[in-house]
Amino acid sequence: MRILLWHVHGGWMDAFVRGPHEYLVPTTAARDGWGLGAGGRDWPNVVEIAPEDVADADVDLVVLQRTEEAAVAAELLGGRDVPTVFVEHNAPRVDVPNSVHPMQDRDDLTIAHVTHWNALMWDCGTTRTTVVEHGVVDPGPLYTGTLERFGAVINEPVRRNRVVGTDLLPRFAEVAPVDVFGMGTDRLADLGLGDRLVGLGDVKPDPMHAALAERRAYLHPNRWTSLGLSLIEAMHMAMPVLVLATTDASRTVPAEAGAIATDVTELTRASRLLLDDPDEARRRGAVAREAALARHSLARFLGDWDELLDDAVTRHRRTRGQSPALEGSTR
């Protein structure tokens, strides 16, 4: 199958393009949000394509991740009617719990939510919906926990503040220094906590994983975001995790994997235990890895997506009155 999609969310894309398809990714000289291409990543199944060449390309299906992509894809395809799946990465932010999805009441696409929480909270009307939970490329059990510090991965932590729980980080920094990886983390210095809260910037995945694995535990203080891929990666690495029990976190994180609670005092108490007892931290990290492999493996993720892609193509052919002989997998 040849799939047209934009490189929007790098972590999700890194898993999605590991499937058995050919992924056509618009690429421009600007390498911006509308033409990032592979973004320098080694993705063998990705074909970088100039937007003006899409009209002449064979495209079996379109995967959208932003609402504005629908109009752009239609223009690039020259009006061709192509099966479409919209990936909803985000939990609603406005008028919760009565949030109306912008793709509500459509019969020309399927909305694929990345968590059951998102599917529960968005009102999609009559649009067909499904859930494909995250999967990640397993970085391996890298955890050593040799540094008596905590680690977190948060993009734009100061701008997003309460959404991602930045305001909670000082409470953990009282127990041990907190190192935060991600875009815009340099602004954490403005919070005045000195070396107790350190922004380490946007580090490439492999060196970031290696550095995270040296920290005693992983912090996930997010109040209102979809389940973070960095959390799932940390669990794959056998890191014990300290997680705010919001959105769909409780579906992924067993209590024995570190600690999960809405009581921040309970989480900071657990963080001190992990700091003082490296053996217990390793034991809980092993539980985290086992849980992550069971629910968020790459194989499960790609298998679920293959079923959805095949179904989208089959449904499209049926609704367009094409011969049943043409139905089935186009992989």
Side-chain angles (χ1 to χ4, degrees), residues 56-292:
D56 295 324
D58 291 330
V59 177
D60 298 302
L61 185 137
V62 178
V63 171
L64 306 175
Q65 301 173 72
R66 299 168 290 186
T67 54
E68 57 268 34
E69 288 177 359
V72 176
E75 180 180 354
L76 295 185
L77 289 165
R80 277 184 287 165
D81 186 13
V82 177
T84 302
V85 176
F86 183 92
V87 184
E88 181 49 79
H89 290 285
N90 301 311
R93 294 282 299 276
V94 179
D95 198 26
V96 179
N98 300 313
S99 307
V100 175
H101 197 278
M103 296 294 185
Q104 185 192 58
D105 297 332
R106 294 184 59 157
D107 62 2
D108 59 338
L109 55 81
T110 297
I111 297 174
H113 296 283
V114 298
T115 71
H116 288 273
W117 175 267
N118 288 4
L120 177 69
M121 300 308 291
W122 279 112
D123 177 4
C124 296
T126 60
T127 305
R128 182 175 180 274
T129 66
T130 190
V131 177
V132 180
E133 293 185 285
H134 285 307
V136 301
V137 178
D138 181 10
L142 305 177
Y143 179 67
T144 64
T146 53
L147 299 181
E148 293 184 346
R149 306 174 72 90
F150 303 130
V153 179
I154 306 173
N155 286 324
E156 300 293 343
V158 174
R159 178 180 63 80
R160 298 165 74 197
N161 195 14
R162 285 180 57 84
V163 171
V164 294
T166 302
D167 61 304
L168 304 177
L169 294 178
R171 297 179 63 175
F172 293 93
E174 292 177 1
V175 179
V178 179
D179 297 320
V180 185
F181 298 82
M183 295 180 290
T185 54
D186 57 303
R187 295 186 59 195
L188 289 171
D190 298 340
L191 300 184
L193 294 178
D195 61 2
R196 304 297 293 183
L197 183 59
V198 180
L200 295 178
D202 187 18
V203 180
K204 289 186 179 298
D206 286 348
M208 181 184 71
H209 292 154
L212 267 177
E214 296 176 330
R215 273 68 186 169
R216 184 61 52 84
Y218 182 84
L219 296 182
H220 186 73
N222 299 45
R223 280 188 177 89
W224 193 257
T225 66
S226 292
L227 193 61
L229 287 169
S230 56
L231 167 63
I232 299 170
E233 290 172 344
M235 293 174 68
H236 271 77
M237 292 189 293
M239 292 189 74
V241 292
L242 301 161
V243 181
L244 206 61
T246 56
T247 61
D248 229 7
S250 62
R251 184 172 170 83
T252 285
V253 183
E256 297 81 7
I260 179 168
T262 54
D263 182 349
V264 180
T265 298
E266 182 178 337
L267 290 179
T268 57
R269 188 182 305 121
S271 74
R272 186 170 295 280
L273 169 65
L274 298 178
L275 190 71
D276 294 340
D277 191 341
D279 290 338
E280 180 63 13
R282 280 190 292 272
R283 187 192 71 80
R284 297 193 186 195
V287 173
R289 177 168 170 79
E290 182 178 356

Side-chain angles (χ1 to χ4, degrees), residues 5-6 153 222 315 328:
L5 77 163
W6 279 267
V153 179
N222 299 45
R315 286 174 178 271

